[in-house]
Amino acid sequence: EVQLVESGGGLVQPGGSLRLSCAASGFTFSSSEMDWVRQAPGKGLEWVSYMSPTGNNIYYADSVAGRFTISRDNARNSLYLQMNSLRAEDTAVYYCARDRGPAATDFWGQGTQVTVSS
Amino acid sequence: DIQMTQSPSTLSASVGDRVTITCRASQSISSWLAWYQQKPGKAPKLLIYKVSTLESGVPSRFSGSGSGTEFTLTISSLQPDDFATYYCQQYTDYRSFGQGTKVEIK
């Protein structure tokens, strides 16, 4: 069974940092493209970042470029999102998701809540 | 960046209705278009990818069509489980989503 379990969310002050983790199981993580997607309260989905299986290709949304860093540890079947210089507008549920490339993003975790507030 | 625009933002319909949601891209995305369904408090669920390919396990009342910049998701006969919010996503140039279409009970 495919599973993605996010962790690391919480309450942080503006300007602070947070590191999200995503533990993957039930599929070959080391061969899988991965995404982070977020959803602000009452709002739609916003793609945040993408990483290829080996990490050779990495992309970010303009809204987080220069502040967020995606990474992975294929030996630990884990995906990460380091978030620095956090702003109130970064408040959202953050999902990690398996990206099948031409066959789109097919599986999502349950999400982890990030709240940026003083 | 490619902008995705869905219409309508909200749609009121009854069980059994045929429902169509439109998604327009700011530039051509070829066939790299997916549709997702999301219910409150839940993660999105992939319905359709590459414009018209039904994801495994998704009922055949869902279908997708279009090319280039204009795409549609059709639900042929709306069922009680289909009341949800639907998002289109392009994945030719990074990824981006439409703003969503909420299908509510009329």
Side-chain angles (χ1 to χ4, degrees):
Chain A
E1 178 191 6
V2 173
Q3 281 202 322
L4 294 169
V5 180
E6 301 94 337
S7 61
L11 175 63
V12 60
Q13 292 188 339
S17 298
L18 215 51
R19 188 194 194 207
L20 305 184
S21 299
C22 172
S25 60
F27 65 101
T28 307
F29 178 78
S30 59
S31 302
S32 297
E33 302 168 62
M34 298 295 294
D35 294 315
W36 285 100
V37 176
R38 68 184 181 182
Q39 188 167 34
K43 302 298 184 182
L45 301 170
E46 180 187 15
W47 170 78
V48 171
S49 185
Y50 162 95
M51 191 170 202
S52 62
T54 60
N56 287 345
N57 293 301
I58 291 174
Y59 307 118
Y60 298 100
D62 289 345
S63 58
V64 307
R67 300 188 298 123
F68 290 12
T69 302
I70 191 172
S71 63
R72 65 193 295 161
D73 184 340
N74 286 340
R76 295 179 181 271
N77 289 339
S78 293
L79 181 74
Y80 306 100
L81 186 67
Q82 177 66 44
M83 304 186 296
N84 297 332
S85 303
L86 283 162
R87 307 166 180 167
E89 54 264 37
D90 296 319
T91 294
V93 173
Y94 285 73
Y95 296 100
C96 73
R98 182 176 70 177
D99 190 321
R100 300 181 309 189
T105 303
D106 73 324
F107 195 83
W108 306 60
Q110 85 289 350
T112 188
Q113 176 71 49
V114 172
T115 302
V116 184
S117 175
S118 56
Chain B
D1 293 0
I2 298 177
Q3 310 301 319
M4 307 298 290
T5 304
Q6 289 181 232
S7 60
S9 295
T10 305
L11 188 159
S12 298
S14 302
V15 173
D17 284 353
R18 181 181 181 88
V19 166
T20 299
I21 299 169
T22 298
C23 178
R24 290 186 173 87
S26 59
Q27 63 190 74
S28 177
I29 58 171
S30 185
S31 297
W32 307 117
L33 190 283
W35 290 97
Y36 298 87
Q37 177 193 68
Q38 188 182 32
K39 296 182 178 180
K42 301 293 187 181
K45 173 186 175 183
L46 176 64
L47 299 175
I48 288 170
Y49 61 92
K50 209 174 176 185
V51 175
S52 59
T53 303
L54 210 61
E55 177 68 358
S56 177
V58 173
S60 59
R61 64 181 179 272
F62 291 92
S63 64
S65 64
S67 65
T69 62
E70 187 154 338
F71 304 89
T72 59
L73 171 71
T74 299
I75 309 172
S76 60
S77 178
L78 198 65
Q79 298 301 301
D81 191 49
D82 301 337
F83 292 98
T85 300
Y86 294 83
Y87 295 91
C88 62
Q89 181 205 38
Q90 67 81 19
Y91 52 102
T92 189
D93 177 26
Y94 306 148
R95 283 101 176 95
S96 56
F97 292 92
Q99 82 278 16
T101 295
K102 183 178 181 180
V103 177
E104 60 181 25
I105 300 173
K106 189 172 182 180

